Amino acid sequence: MKVLIVHAHHEPRSFNSALKDCAVEQLSAAGHEVQVSDLHAMEWNPVASAADFGCRANPDYLVYALEQRHNYEAGTLAPDIAAEIAKVQWCDLLILNFPLYWFSMPAVLKGWIDRVMISGVFYGGKRIYDRGGMRGKRALVTLTLGGREHMFGPEAIHGEIHTLLRPLLQGSLAYCGFEVLPPFIGYHVPYVSAEARGQILADYGQHLQGLDDLQPLVFPSMNDFDDKLMPLQR
Amino acid sequence: MKVLIVHAHHEPRSFNSALKDCAVEQLSAAGHEVQVSDLHAMEWNPVASAADFGCRANPDYLVYALEQRHNYEAGTLAPDIAAEIAKVQWCDLLILNFPLYWFSMPAVLKGWIDRVMISGVFYGGKRIYDRGGMRGKRALVTLTLGGREHMFGPEAIHGEIHTLLRPLLQGSLAYCGFEVLPPFIGYHVPYVSAEARGQILADYGQHLQGLDDLQPLVFPSMNDFDDKLMPLQR
């Protein structure tokens, strides 16, 4: 299995980075090939702009998704973007490893999604969800946060964490055709004991060992919608 | 009323930018003071890192929220962050104006939230939701997207749009104490006729004129939770 880990923590000695290191070690030891895109170390540029394109289909008016397709075909995408696309195409499993910022991804990682998951290759028109470009690949979200587990749930103060993660789990990963594994979530990590953190690392090791036995999350299927994406009557 | 518009579109002639221009014109004409943070024009840096801090409480290990508080008190926050904080503190109404990217904010805007909405000033410990630092201010999200309105809803393919926006509407704006007005959403804008776009602009003008009559969105109240943020039994 070829694994791409996209990592988005600014502190290499953080617990979040320890989770990433755990995955690299364990997956490599199990014989898988592992690449890591450490966005902070790479000084990843997260801002989608005209600078991403070496030649413009429309030089006067920037339509970002149009230029993504045009420049991919022409081979004139910014090199940092092209390199990341190649890594995703190479991998069988994509792991996004990040601290939860405002119940979502830090901007540096959101910008990896904005710039790398291009129109045409990852999705297009009706080639979304189970018809998306990443069909056949799996995705895992591994995240840490300060909040405690009881703060999330149907009656809890912040609501359900999978619901908060829907733009990522459904709207980005499932949308592009990835089979989305249940996320691994390390709660309350800045505040728990070293022993508790050790246990979370051990649990993550188990999660990784058991990936093939995990039930993927369920998302909409294009078989249930018509050409206009209206629900088919049943 | 003092209004800060934070704008995140890379194309000044886009319809999304036209909505921002409409708000500037209309609110100014009505006698309000308006400032605009045009993130692309400002070349806004969205990446939260050690470079944001002139002096470190902990030079060896970066705990971002800790350094936000420490540097704010010491006056050593990066000048771009300090300037934005001052604008938010000045305003009565914050408008976030952006194109929906992956059912959420473009990275440049997420990075404005990550770097500007600092621990201590905007929120802290139990000073969240209706006890947050931005109590007394209102927030409006104005966004455009390619998707059509029928693609959103309880039975629709992408689910409800307010649910997809929860990390922003509840988890960021309400979390910091803003009174969150119903978002203004321009559906399918790259594909509709010029006439239809003109109608959306007119509708936005109406939305802005009637802000004081809008029913704010309802979010959790700290009165309903205990010290550990568990729901109080009723």
Side-chain angles (χ1 to χ4, degrees), chain A residues 28-142:
Chain A
S28 303
H32 304 298
E33 290 175 71
V34 183
Q35 284 197 76
V36 179
S37 287
D38 183 330
L39 299 183
H40 281 272
M42 292 160 72
E43 296 184 326
W44 177 256
N45 165 28
V47 182
S49 75
D52 295 339
F53 309 121
C55 79
R56 292 275 294 269
N58 183 338
D60 301 319
Y61 184 84
L62 180 59
V63 180
Y64 195 77
L66 168 71
E67 300 296 349
Q68 286 181 322
R69 294 191 298 274
H70 178 73
N71 280 263
Y72 179 76
E73 281 153 33
T76 49
L77 271 177
D80 59 344
I81 297 176
E84 294 306 300
I85 291 172
K87 289 178 197 171
V88 184
Q89 290 171 317
W90 163 87
C91 84
D92 303 304
L93 172 67
L94 172 69
I95 300 179
L96 301 183
N97 194 115
F98 61 95
L100 197 67
Y101 275 21
W102 300 104
F103 305 96
S104 57
M105 289 169 274
V108 74
L109 178 56
K110 179 54 166 44
W112 183 92
I113 289 187
D114 290 346
R115 296 175 74 234
V116 172
M117 286 174 45
I118 67 170
S119 173
V121 172
F122 284 76
Y123 72 94
K126 304 293 182 305
R127 289 173 45 240
I128 60 173
Y129 291 118
D130 51 350
R131 297 189 194 153
M134 298 292 106
R135 268 184 343 276
K137 299 185 193 295
R138 292 186 295 178
L140 171 67
V141 164
T142 297

Side-chain angles (χ1 to χ4, degrees), chain A residues 148 150-151 157, chain B residues 126 225-231:
Chain A
R148 306 185 78 134
H150 73 253
M151 297 173 186
I157 192 166
Chain B
K126 303 296 182 303
F225 296 85
D226 69 17
D227 274 359
K228 292 180 165 47
L229 301 187
M230 306 268 316

Side-chain angles (χ1 to χ4, degrees), chain A residues 182-199:
Chain A
F184 182 84
I185 301 174
Y187 289 94
H188 210 45
V189 302
Y191 310 104
V192 298
S193 66
E195 183 184 9
R197 283 196 294 274
Q199 185 59 52

Side-chain angles (χ1 to χ4, degrees), chain B residues 56-213:
Chain B
R56 293 274 294 270
N58 183 337
D60 300 319
Y61 184 85
L62 179 60
V63 179
Y64 194 79
L66 168 70
E67 300 296 347
Q68 285 180 323
R69 296 191 297 274
H70 178 73
N71 280 262
Y72 180 76
E73 281 153 31
T76 48
L77 270 176
D80 59 344
I81 296 177
E84 295 304 301
I85 292 171
K87 290 178 197 170
V88 184
Q89 290 171 317
W90 163 87
C91 83
D92 301 305
L93 171 67
L94 173 69
I95 300 178
L96 302 182
N97 194 113
F98 60 95
L100 198 67
Y101 275 19
W102 300 104
F103 304 97
S104 58
M105 290 170 275
V108 74
L109 178 57
K110 180 51 167 44
W112 184 93
I113 289 186
D114 289 347
R115 296 174 75 234
V116 173
M117 286 174 43
I118 67 170
S119 173
V121 172
F122 285 75
Y123 71 93
K126 303 296 182 303
R127 289 173 45 240
I128 60 173
Y129 291 118
D130 49 350
R131 296 189 194 153
M134 298 292 107
R135 269 185 342 276
K137 299 184 193 295
R138 293 186 294 178
L140 171 67
V141 164
T142 296
L143 68 91
T144 53
L145 69 158
R148 309 185 75 134
E149 198 164 356
H150 72 253
M151 299 173 185
F152 298 91
E155 306 304 315
I157 192 166
H158 303 318
E160 290 181 301
I161 195 146
H162 282 203
T163 302
L164 288 159
L165 294 173
R166 187 181 296 171
L168 172 57
L169 299 175
Q170 172 170 339
S172 305
L173 296 170
Y175 188 94
C176 291
F178 287 99
E179 183 178 79
V180 183
L181 300 171
F184 182 84
I185 300 174
Y187 289 95
H188 209 45
V189 302
Y191 309 105
V192 299
S193 66
E195 184 184 8
R197 282 195 295 275
Q199 186 57 53
I200 299 172
L201 273 175
D203 291 345
Y204 188 45
Q206 294 288 322
H207 194 85
L208 291 172
Q209 240 172 14
L211 286 184
D212 295 344
D213 303 318

